[in-house]
Amino acid sequence: IQYTTRSGLFKQTMIPMKKYIYLVVLLLAFISCNKRKQGIESPPKILNEIFVADSLQNETTEFLLSDVVSDIEIIPLETTEKSAFKFLTNLQVGANDIFINSRIAVLRFDINGKFLHKIGSKGEGPQDFLICEGIGIDEQTRLVHIAAALSSTNQIRTFTYDGKFVKSTRIAEDGAYMSGSNHSEGRSYAFFNNQHLFRRMLPVWDGSKDIWLIQIQDTAGNVKARFYDPANYGSEGQIHKHSADGKNIIPHYWTEFSCVFNRYNDKINFLFDTNDTIYQYNDVKATLKPRFILHCGSRPTISEIRKLDKSPEYFKYVVVTDVLETKDWMFLIAEKDNLSYLLRFDKLTGSIQTIHTEGEIAESRIMQIRYRKTDPPGFTNDLCGGLPFYPSFQTEKRWIAQFDAADLLEKVDLNELKSSDYLLPSKRDKLVKIIENLKEDDNPVLMIATLK
């Protein structure tokens, strides 16, 4: 706009510009409202960036557990005829109690690992469950929530710590697709801040067209928020087409893992399967806000990401599969080819270091699909020794690792453990005694680490 003292020309040039500004404001308001409807806030002006792909070669020798952990407890879970279990899919740790989900039973132990009793029973009655999809505990009210038969009867069974039935809460109609997780830790259900969290995979099996991946409900069953993977918008038709294709389920079936859920103090992180953004949940506003942008290099197409039967080329891309937060660092598990990397991102400086383990690209015998078979690198346990530490479970202030009795007996050199120096020698001595008294078919041994 050219400034002039002639008022007529000034008005003629400014009035159209005001119209344009008005239209732009309306457009921005519409975009903002649309994003709020999805429950995902607009990104702030400055986002932290984590350059994952460019940092895989920044290798160091080890990460010490003592850098992030102040103390550790070693707890052998008592093995009796009533307490023995084969699979540990989820657990919750309170101040004085440990609750184990073995899918067909919920077992309560005290904080020292002594078995107390079972909670609920296997069956089809109003107080029973066929399969436990997850457990949550409320320390204040001393209640245990059991996600019973998700995607079937869709009930939350609530019991007291002592096992007395309290109530059932319907969280969806019968048959609604509420679960669907093939992760070992049972990545379907969690309970935090007096609310239920459900995470599910694609596709939607119940015939509905709703492709939410995160749902948060209060204890009365009211939906507080739903969130979607932004990458799925625009691909809804393809998602439903491939989920309904039962004739060629292996080569054409599309899926998506339930999203990563990580907590540290008052921060709650989510990472969708598309791997480009770590979102932070705002519990007051019930929104997701972009927190970290992940740079993972060139990305596969949406069909390559979602397709169950991965091509050999897919494994050449960098994929982030887990997130852990501590006071000073964000830790990520990234996979590429047959390697699994543990990345340590310094939240203050942005520097990254990595360690890695090697696995293989395997093929399942039953479904005949390719998958990456790798174990994540672990932290060197300089507190008490033993096998490398990587948390299978986590709370706001704790990391929990489980160790099979057979692995401890086979892989730990007791003579070396006894003669080595560690920061907590009394805990080292306790670990030695536990291993000396272990039997191969005993329940797992837990290590519960308190974060700094």
Side-chain angles (χ1 to χ4, degrees):
I1 297 173
Q2 184 178 1
Y3 176 77
T4 177
T5 57
R6 292 181 294 176
S7 59
L9 178 59
F10 181 80
K11 290 178 181 178
Q12 288 177 2
T13 54
M14 286 301 292
I15 290 174
M17 183 58 66
K18 288 181 179 179
K19 289 182 179 179
Y20 290 131
I21 292 173
Y22 180 69
L23 290 174
V24 169
V25 170
L26 283 178
L27 179 60
L28 291 175
F30 172 78
I31 293 172
S32 177
C33 290
N34 190 46
K35 287 187 176 182
R36 282 197 293 270
K37 286 180 180 178
Q38 298 176 15
I40 298 178
E41 294 184 358
S42 300
K45 293 182 180 179
I46 300 176
L47 282 172
N48 286 314
E49 297 178 282
I50 304 179
F51 293 89
V52 178
D54 294 341
S55 304
L56 296 183
Q57 305 307 316
N58 297 345
E59 294 223 30
T60 187
T61 55
E62 61 182 356
F63 294 147
L64 298 178
L65 190 59
S66 63
D67 288 339
V68 295
V69 167
S70 60
D71 197 8
I72 193 165
E73 296 298 329
I74 310 165
I75 304 172
L77 297 176
E78 183 183 18
T79 306
T80 66
E81 184 178 345
K82 293 183 178 181
S83 70
F85 59 89
K86 187 174 183 181
F87 300 107
L88 195 169
T89 62
N90 194 3
L91 66 81
Q92 296 293 324
V93 177
N96 300 297
D97 302 272
I98 301 170
F99 296 90
I100 300 294
N101 174 17
S102 65
R103 289 189 68 81
I104 60 173
V106 175
L107 310 172
R108 181 188 176 197
F109 296 80
D110 70 16
I111 199 62
N112 297 311
K114 179 178 176 55
F115 175 67
L116 299 176
H117 55 81
K118 289 186 178 182
I119 295 180
S121 58
K122 184 177 175 62
E124 299 183 4
Q127 302 181 20
D128 304 327
F129 55 88
L130 292 175
I131 297 177
C132 177
E133 300 279 0
I135 53 176
I137 61 172
D138 187 334
E139 283 274 87
Q140 290 186 338
T141 59
R142 293 180 62 81
L143 293 177
V144 182
H145 302 290
I146 297 176
L150 296 185
S151 301
S152 177
T153 56
N154 286 321
Q155 301 272 333
I156 295 291
R157 312 283 198 221
T158 301
F159 297 82
T160 65
Y161 273 25
D162 294 328
K164 181 181 178 181
F165 177 75
V166 176
K167 66 175 181 176
S168 284
T169 304
R170 177 173 292 279
I171 45 88
E173 62 186 31
D174 285 359
Y177 189 74
M178 295 294 292
S179 70
S181 175
N182 60 2
H183 293 268
S184 60
E185 79 277 25
R187 223 162 66 180
S188 289
Y189 169 77
F191 184 79
F192 72 98
N193 295 354
N194 201 36
Q195 52 200 348
H196 303 293
L197 167 69
F198 301 95
R199 291 171 292 164
R200 67 176 181 179
M201 294 163 54
L202 289 178
V204 180
W205 283 89
D206 58 9
S208 73
K209 298 300 180 182
D210 201 349
I211 56 172
W212 61 265
L213 294 179
I214 304 170
Q215 180 167 291
I216 297 172
Q217 296 181 219
D218 63 23
T219 52
N222 301 308
V223 176
K224 182 178 179 181
R226 280 181 171 175
F227 302 111
Y228 306 75
D229 184 346
N232 289 336
Y233 280 101
S235 302
E236 298 98 320
Q238 288 292 308
I239 289 170
H240 290 291
K241 174 186 176 182
H242 289 287
S243 67
D245 186 2
K247 295 180 181 179
N248 299 297
I249 190 169
I250 300 303
H252 301 294
Y253 173 79
W254 278 21
T255 186
E256 178 175 15
F257 289 145
S258 57
C259 59
V260 173
F261 171 60
N262 164 254
R263 298 177 68 190
Y264 175 69
N265 287 342
D266 60 339
K267 295 182 177 64
I268 302 174
N269 301 302
F270 285 103
L271 171 66
F272 292 110
D273 214 19
T274 37
N275 271 217
D276 58 2
T277 307
I278 296 175
Y279 294 91
Q280 183 170 321
Y281 178 63
N282 185 314
D283 197 18
V284 176
K285 298 180 180 179
T287 56
L288 290 184
K289 180 179 180 180
R291 186 180 179 202
F292 292 97
I293 296 298
L294 304 182
H295 296 280
C296 295
S298 59
R299 309 308 298 144
T301 64
I302 189 70
S303 62
E304 289 176 300
I305 293 174
R306 298 285 177 260
K307 196 175 180 182
L308 178 64
D309 185 22
K310 307 294 187 188
S311 69
E313 294 298 314
Y314 172 81
F315 299 98
K316 296 180 181 180
Y317 295 101
V318 177
V319 178
V320 178
T321 61
D322 205 0
V323 176
L324 299 169
E325 182 168 8
T326 65
K327 178 177 177 290
D328 299 313
W329 295 292
M330 297 292 296
F331 290 92
L332 307 178
I333 292 293
E335 297 177 350
K336 182 183 180 183
D337 298 321
N338 64 329
L339 302 176
S340 179
Y341 296 85
L342 177 60
L343 286 79
R344 186 175 70 183
F345 170 79
D346 189 310
K347 290 190 287 186
L348 181 63
T349 67
S351 63
I352 299 177
Q353 290 184 305
T354 71
I355 56 176
H356 79 270
T357 54
E358 187 172 344
E360 61 176 326
I361 307 302
E363 185 173 301
S364 67
R365 295 180 180 178
I366 299 175
M367 301 186 71
Q368 296 181 337
I369 59 172
R370 299 176 190 88
Y371 65 98
R372 188 182 283 108
K373 186 179 180 181
T374 56
D375 293 323
F379 295 81
T380 298
N381 191 340
D382 58 332
L383 296 174
C384 65
L387 299 177
F389 182 101
Y390 187 82
S392 301
F393 314 97
Q394 50 187 289
T395 66
E396 285 185 326
K397 299 179 180 180
R398 292 165 165 173
W399 284 355
I400 303 116
Q402 60 165 322
F403 298 95
D404 290 338
D407 287 341
L408 290 172
L409 290 170
E410 178 184 348
K411 299 177 181 179
V412 175
D413 186 327
L414 279 179
N415 290 328
E416 181 180 347
L417 182 61
K418 293 176 182 178
S419 60
S420 299
D421 293 328
Y422 293 97
L423 296 177
L424 302 176
S426 63
K427 301 293 176 68
R428 183 270 319 273
D429 295 341
K430 181 178 181 179
L431 178 60
V432 169
K433 290 181 180 179
I434 289 172
I435 296 176
E436 287 177 337
N437 290 283
L438 270 183
K439 297 178 182 178
E440 189 173 331
D441 56 353
D442 279 349
N443 281 336
V445 174
L446 303 182
M447 288 194 183
I448 302 178
T450 302
L451 293 174
K452 292 182 176 179

